[in-house]
């Protein structure tokens, strides 16, 4: 039996009178790639932030690798060691080189020796196709290169679950492919991933399952080949036609 990496049960998130997540429930198995699609404002980014403990949720339960997620609990740091998150914008430290950005978290959060952090950073730069760019500062890199450094930085903590929040939406069309190629390599390597994206070709090629979110609920879910070609929900059908 495949181990369960993530459990989301009846999660509700409210901002004052506004309900952003309204009873979301699903599971993610270890090694599974779950793609989340849907219109802006549907709750996708908020869901990822709740999973990583960056946002409190109002009701329900989330567990990562068996650990309960509570944003204000001391145990949230154990959760965050297991979860890497990639945002729309790269959030690299501009005064640090690419290599230094990657070295920082293992050194500060894990207390690893400097030599080990450097070796880990160099290996990850090579993995994302940037072996020769370790000494470059973020301002010297393209958007696609910066996002690949951000992925390497998240991988430096050796997470069990990777969350991607529209990782290509801020990129030029020419650089989207290089970031998606790195994500595909991670998926083929067995990384458990939740990817919020409008890149439906990536979803079809790499995803094991798709969730369609709208107005704070999971309106439909299923295998990519079924959901993208034969959606049952009219709202899903409308969204896919608009994106394609």
């Amino acid at each position: 039996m495949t181990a369960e990496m993530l459990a989301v049960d009846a999660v509700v998130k409210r901002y004052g009178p506004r309900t952003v997540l309204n009873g979301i429930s699903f599971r993610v198995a270890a090694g599974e790639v779950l793609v989340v699609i849907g219109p802006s404002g549907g709750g996708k980014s908020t869901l990822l932030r709740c999973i990583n403990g960056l946002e409190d949720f109002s009701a329900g339960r989330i567990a990562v690798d068996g650990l309960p997620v509570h944003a204000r609990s001391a145990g949230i740091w154990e959760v965050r060691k297991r979860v890497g998150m990639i945002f729309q914008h790269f959030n690299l430290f501009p005064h640090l080189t690419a290599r230094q950005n990657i070295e920082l978290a293992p050194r500060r959060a894990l207390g690893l020796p400097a030599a080990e952090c450097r070796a880990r950073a160099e290996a990850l730069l090579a993995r994302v196709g940037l072996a020769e760019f370790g000494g470059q500062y973020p301002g010297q890199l393209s958007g696609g290169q910066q996002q690949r450094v951000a992925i390497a930085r998240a991988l430096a903590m050796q997470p069990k679950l990777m969350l991607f929040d529209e990782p290509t939406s801020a990129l030029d069309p020419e650089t989207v492919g290089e970031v998606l190629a790195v994500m595909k390599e991670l998926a083929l390597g067995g990384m458990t991933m939740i990817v919020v994206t409008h890149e439906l070709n990536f979803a079809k090629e790499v995803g094991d399952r798709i969730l369609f979110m709208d107005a704070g609920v999971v309106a439909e879910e299923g295998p990519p080949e079924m959901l993208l070609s034969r959606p049952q929900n009219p709202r899903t059908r409308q969204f896919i036609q608009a994106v394609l």
Side-chain angles (χ1 to χ4, degrees):
M1 179 181 293
T2 303
E4 183 177 275
M5 184 57 64
L6 174 70
V8 177
D9 292 311
V11 167
V12 175
K13 171 65 179 178
R14 300 186 184 93
Y15 292 107
R18 187 166 66 98
T19 300
V20 181
L21 300 176
N22 193 6
I24 299 286
S25 297
F26 61 91
R27 298 286 194 274
V28 178
E32 183 178 8
V33 178
L34 177 69
V35 178
V36 183
I37 65 173
S40 298
K44 305 182 301 298
S45 294
T46 300
L47 173 63
L48 293 190
R49 293 176 66 85
C50 288
I51 291 170
N52 202 27
L54 296 175
E55 296 268 7
D56 269 330
F57 44 96
S58 309
R61 170 185 173 270
I62 299 176
V64 174
D65 197 25
L67 297 176
V69 177
H70 299 291
R72 293 191 176 92
S73 74
I76 193 60
W77 296 108
E78 288 302 317
V79 172
R80 288 179 182 156
K81 287 178 184 178
R82 290 166 167 77
V83 181
M85 187 158 178
I86 305 299
F87 300 88
Q88 296 178 29
H89 298 285
F90 326 119
N91 299 322
L92 299 176
F93 292 109
H95 64 290
L96 299 180
T97 66
R99 184 186 302 108
Q100 290 168 337
N101 266 280
I102 298 167
E103 292 173 353
L104 186 62
R107 189 172 72 246
R108 293 279 183 86
L110 303 180
L112 297 181
E116 184 174 346
C117 292
R118 185 180 180 91
R120 186 176 292 191
E122 290 178 346
L124 288 168
L125 283 166
R127 185 175 181 182
V128 300
L130 295 172
E132 68 275 28
F133 292 92
Q136 300 289 310
Y137 289 89
Q140 298 172 303
L141 301 174
S142 71
Q145 289 169 336
Q146 289 185 64
Q147 192 64 296
R148 284 187 280 162
V149 172
I151 293 171
R153 180 179 59 179
L155 292 173
M157 293 292 289
Q158 298 183 337
K160 293 187 173 184
L161 170 65
M162 286 284 284
L163 309 177
F164 293 86
D165 187 7
E166 298 192 31
T168 61
S169 65
L171 301 179
D172 294 330
E174 290 181 347
T175 61
V176 168
E178 64 192 43
V179 173
L180 293 179
V182 171
M183 294 169 62
K184 181 178 178 181
E185 186 270 332
L186 289 178
L188 293 174
M191 175 63 73
T192 311
M193 299 164 57
I194 302 178
V195 183
V196 171
T197 185
H198 291 315
E199 300 286 345
L200 298 189
N201 286 332
F202 173 85
K204 185 175 183 179
E205 184 178 0
V206 180
D208 295 305
R209 185 161 47 109
I210 295 179
L211 297 187
F212 173 73
M213 286 185 63
D214 185 34
V217 301
V218 176
E220 188 169 357
E221 67 176 289
E225 62 274 12
M226 182 193 78
L227 190 139
L228 294 177
S229 61
R230 301 185 303 279
Q232 302 302 303
N233 188 305
R235 186 67 186 93
T236 312
R237 192 177 308 118
Q238 180 186 28
F239 173 81
I240 292 171
Q241 289 172 348
V243 172
L244 293 177

